[in-house]
């Protein structure tokens, strides 16, 4: 638990970023979780995954942006990405963080950009999935999603099971028929607002699976836990959902054998495909979830990999 909290703390503080980016010995570690720094790196992986039968979700990495030029560039990148998804007929959409779309500058700017991307996605029958980015942005994120959705319903949002508020949030999203992706929660959350014991998070995750299977619109469950996958399948059977009415989501580079197994068993599996130069916070959160990779990084020597 202490190691996880330390890594999540460091994900928001860039002391290690220069070392990781400039040290060639660490590249084998971060490229396990990130497809590369360019759009073409991500598209190459996405094409291969789609050929195998997976759906994809392309994620141009970036967050906590307070520079207007950078925000504008990120919106343009996502627009270009949607055009390429359509041109190549990829079974996929995009994932965004509102702090990458200008939320730290103004809510109006983030709303305008989110509506623009949702409208562009809607024209080609794709979906924009919005990350909550933790408790501190939860109200603002969900507020903007709920405000934009009636204007362009090609939106979904992510809700973390580690936050105690999530049951109420999901109830409201279900009422509005906004698709939800349930995750455990990769951010360092305030002690009073979140579950911090792993078993508590898993039990709450199971409770929220039941709610989403009963009342949700095309729910998605982002997990690499086979027991949670089996539980979700059981809940789908109980509530009469077929395999096209929900999906599982998994991360690039994490449990590839489980990804293939779940797909071969006939379930919808969507793989998150992250890319970009601003990969450091994302990478640190992946280390926090899978700390064995930290020991691998520390052991690497010239010529490894």
């Amino acid at each position: 638990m202490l190691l996880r909290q330390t890594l999540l703390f460091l994900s928001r503080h860039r002391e290690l970023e220069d070392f990781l980016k400039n040290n060639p010995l660490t590249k084998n570690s971060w490229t396990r979780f990130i497809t590369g720094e360019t759009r073409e790196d991500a598209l190459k992986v996405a094409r291969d995954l789609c050929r195998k039968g997976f759906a994809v979700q392309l994620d141009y990495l970036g967050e906590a942006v307070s520079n207007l030029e950078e925000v504008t560039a990120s919106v343009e990148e996502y627009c270009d990405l949607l055009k390429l998804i359509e041109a190549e007929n990829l079974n996929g959409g995009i994932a965004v963080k509102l702090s990458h779309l200008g939320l730290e500058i103004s809510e109006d700017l983030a709303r305008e950009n989110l509506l623009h991307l949702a409208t562009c996605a809607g024209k080609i029958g794709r979906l924009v999935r919005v990350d909550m980015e933790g408790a501190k942005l939860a109200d603002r994120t969900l507020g903007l999603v709920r405000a934009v959705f009636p204007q362009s319903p090609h939106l979904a949002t992510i809700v973390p099971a580690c936050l105690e508020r999530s049951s109420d949030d999901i109830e409201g999203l279900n009422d509005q028929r906004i698709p939800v992706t349930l995750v455990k929660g990769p951010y360092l959350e305030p002690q009073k607002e979140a579950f911090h014991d792993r078993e508590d998070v898993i039990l709450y995750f199971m409770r929220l699976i039941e709610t989403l299977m009963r009342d949700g619109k095309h729910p998605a469950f982002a997990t690499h836990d086979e027991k949670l996958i089996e539980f979700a399948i059981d809940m789908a059977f109980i509530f009469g959902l077929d395999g096209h009415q929900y999906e599982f989501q998994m991360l690039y580079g994490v449990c590839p054998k489980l990804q293939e197994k779940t797909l071969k068993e006939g379930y919808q599996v969507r793989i998150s495909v992250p890319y970009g130069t601003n990969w450091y916070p994302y990478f640190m959160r992946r280390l926090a979830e899978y700390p064995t990779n930290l020991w691998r990084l520390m052991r690497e020597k010239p010529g490894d990999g």
Side-chain angles (χ1 to χ4, degrees):
M1 177 63 74
L2 180 59
L3 176 60
R4 179 179 183 273
Q5 291 178 344
T6 300
L7 291 168
L8 289 176
F9 173 81
L10 290 172
S11 75
R12 301 186 304 189
H13 297 77
R14 304 300 180 90
E15 287 82 356
L16 288 179
E17 183 172 8
D18 289 341
F19 169 76
L20 291 173
K21 285 191 170 184
N22 297 321
N23 189 336
L25 304 183
T26 65
K27 187 173 182 179
N28 289 337
S29 293
W30 68 260
T31 53
R32 173 182 172 180
F33 300 112
I34 295 106
T35 59
E37 295 191 334
T38 70
R39 185 195 307 164
E40 185 52 40
D41 291 330
L43 287 170
K44 181 179 178 180
V45 171
R47 293 183 195 109
D48 183 58
L49 288 168
C50 288
R51 278 195 294 269
K52 293 177 179 177
F54 293 101
V56 295
Q57 179 171 280
L58 288 113
D59 185 359
Y60 175 52
L61 298 173
E63 56 195 81
V65 177
S66 56
N67 179 287
L68 182 58
E69 290 183 359
E70 189 175 344
V71 169
T72 301
S74 72
V75 174
E76 291 175 354
E77 175 70 16
Y78 273 121
C79 288
D80 290 343
L81 199 57
L82 286 166
K83 292 175 184 176
L84 287 168
I85 288 172
E86 180 187 26
E88 300 199 23
N89 196 30
L90 298 176
N91 181 13
I94 60 174
V96 303
K97 290 179 172 60
L98 292 185
S99 72
H100 201 189
L101 302 184
L103 185 59
E104 297 204 354
I105 299 174
S106 78
E107 286 194 16
D108 287 342
L109 177 62
R111 181 187 297 108
E112 178 184 340
N113 287 332
L114 181 61
L115 177 58
H116 176 63
L117 291 179
T119 301
C120 290
K123 290 177 180 178
I124 61 171
R126 301 300 197 274
L127 201 66
V128 177
R129 203 173 306 271
V130 181
D131 191 355
M132 186 182 283
E133 301 185 71
K136 68 175 184 176
L137 293 180
D139 283 332
R140 297 169 74 191
T141 297
L142 293 178
L144 287 177
V145 169
R146 287 170 174 155
V148 170
F149 186 80
Q151 298 171 268
S152 185
H154 296 274
L155 282 177
T157 193
I158 293 170
V159 176
C162 67
L163 295 182
E164 295 182 9
R165 60 176 287 164
S166 291
S167 179
D168 291 337
D169 288 335
I170 285 175
E171 183 177 344
L173 292 163
N174 286 346
D175 287 344
Q176 203 171 341
R177 308 305 295 156
I178 298 175
V180 170
T181 294
L182 183 64
V183 303
K184 287 180 182 176
Y187 296 91
L188 185 62
E189 303 291 8
Q191 192 70 33
K192 294 182 179 180
E193 299 180 42
F195 301 104
H196 293 276
D197 182 82
R198 181 176 180 275
E199 292 303 316
D200 289 339
V201 174
I202 289 174
L203 288 173
Y204 197 39
F205 197 107
M206 294 170 74
R207 172 183 162 189
L208 296 175
I209 286 175
E210 183 176 354
T211 300
L212 286 166
M213 288 296 193
R214 184 183 64 238
D215 301 322
K217 176 185 177 182
H218 198 91
F221 306 100
T223 181
H224 304 89
D225 185 325
E226 287 193 72
K227 291 184 178 178
L228 288 177
I229 291 172
E230 291 170 0
F231 181 80
I233 292 168
D234 288 343
M235 287 296 103
F237 177 78
I238 289 171
F239 290 109
L241 275 67
D242 65 37
H244 297 287
Q245 293 176 283
Y246 65 98
E247 67 181 49
F248 296 106
Q249 296 184 4
M250 301 188 193
L251 299 171
Y252 171 77
V254 180
C255 302
K257 290 183 179 179
L258 177 61
Q259 295 174 6
E260 293 174 2
K261 174 178 178 288
T262 307
L263 182 68
K264 287 179 180 178
E265 290 175 351
Y267 301 104
Q268 292 189 89
V269 180
R270 187 178 303 274
I271 308 299
S272 176
V273 180
Y275 74 99
T277 58
N278 296 315
W279 50 259
Y280 171 77
Y282 180 92
F283 173 64
M284 295 301 290
R285 290 194 291 270
R286 299 295 78 78
L287 284 185
E289 290 173 327
Y290 305 97
T292 53
N293 288 286
L294 177 63
W295 313 130
R296 178 185 174 190
L297 183 154
M298 294 173 67
R299 290 196 308 266
E300 284 181 347
K301 301 173 184 177
D304 284 358

